[in-house]
Amino acid sequence: MIWPSSLVLANHMLDYDIKDKRILEVGCGMALSSLLLNHRQADITATDYHPTVEYFLDRNTTLNNNRGINFERLDWSEDNSHLGRFDIIIGSDLLYVDQHIGILAGFIERHALPTCEVIVVDPGRGRKNKLTNKMIEFGFSSQHVKPQNTAYLALPFV
């Protein structure tokens, strides 16, 4: 299933500046944004905790006649230092429970280059400000922007 937040993120990535940037998708699920960025020849790494995500990612890249996407099955709380650091970190619909906010923020901080852009699309579950505050503690700045054109969605995006 492709969630509305995933569609919003992928739409945002359609013409996003990706030249010479290393990109990490966190909690990729069906990896729509990773697939799109891969088609655009981006240096993309997709990650998720669910054990079947890699199978579907590989299958979808094959069906779209694209090159394989680097995938890592991981837990945000573990040492994933082998991933390295990224210029852009993206994710959608990640904030399900309060307990994950600090873990996700720490994961992002560990994998962000000093000038990293972090783009998180949230459907309004009431946790985005908590993530923002945690990221500010790590020295990030923040800007909340509501997508303007979401006519491609069945329902309005909150």
Side-chain angles (χ1 to χ4, degrees):
M1 177 168 200
I2 306 272
W3 298 104
S5 295
S6 182
L7 290 169
V8 170
L9 180 58
N11 188 64
H12 188 68
M13 292 289 108
L14 277 171
D15 58 0
Y16 203 83
D17 179 16
I18 58 169
K19 186 177 177 17
D20 300 323
K21 294 183 180 173
R22 189 164 185 242
I23 305 167
L24 176 67
E25 184 173 10
V26 179
C28 68
M30 292 305 291
L32 183 61
S33 292
S34 288
L35 291 162
L36 172 94
L37 289 165
N38 188 48
H39 186 74
R40 292 187 59 206
Q41 305 299 309
D43 179 359
I44 181 74
T45 298
T47 66
D48 203 289
Y49 183 72
H50 198 279
T52 62
V53 168
E54 186 173 20
Y55 168 79
F56 288 108
L57 180 63
D58 289 345
R59 182 78 178 123
N60 284 326
T61 55
T62 299
L63 289 172
N64 286 291
N65 298 315
N66 286 324
R67 62 186 165 90
I69 296 173
N70 184 32
F71 176 80
E72 295 281 338
R73 181 172 182 252
L74 52 80
D75 181 325
W76 297 334
S77 64
E78 295 176 356
D79 177 5
N80 314 107
S81 57
H82 65 280
L83 285 175
R85 296 187 177 263
F86 294 83
D87 301 288
I88 303 172
I89 298 175
I90 63 173
S92 63
D93 214 348
L94 302 171
L95 306 174
Y96 287 98
V97 294
D98 285 346
Q99 295 81 356
H100 290 166
I101 292 168
I103 296 168
L104 174 60
F107 177 85
I108 291 170
E109 194 275 331
R110 288 190 306 276
H111 296 290
L113 285 168
T115 58
C116 182
E117 298 172 72
V118 178
I119 301 164
V120 176
V121 177
D122 182 70
R125 288 198 170 90
R127 293 182 182 88
K128 74 175 182 246
N129 290 334
K130 293 176 183 178
L131 178 63
T132 297
N133 292 336
K134 194 67 178 166
M135 296 305 299
I136 288 170
E137 287 178 26
F138 286 126
F140 288 81
S141 61
S142 175
Q143 179 181 3
H144 292 210
V145 178
K146 185 175 180 180
Q148 296 299 311
N149 179 12
T150 57
Y152 50 87
L153 298 175
L155 299 170
F157 191 76
V158 266

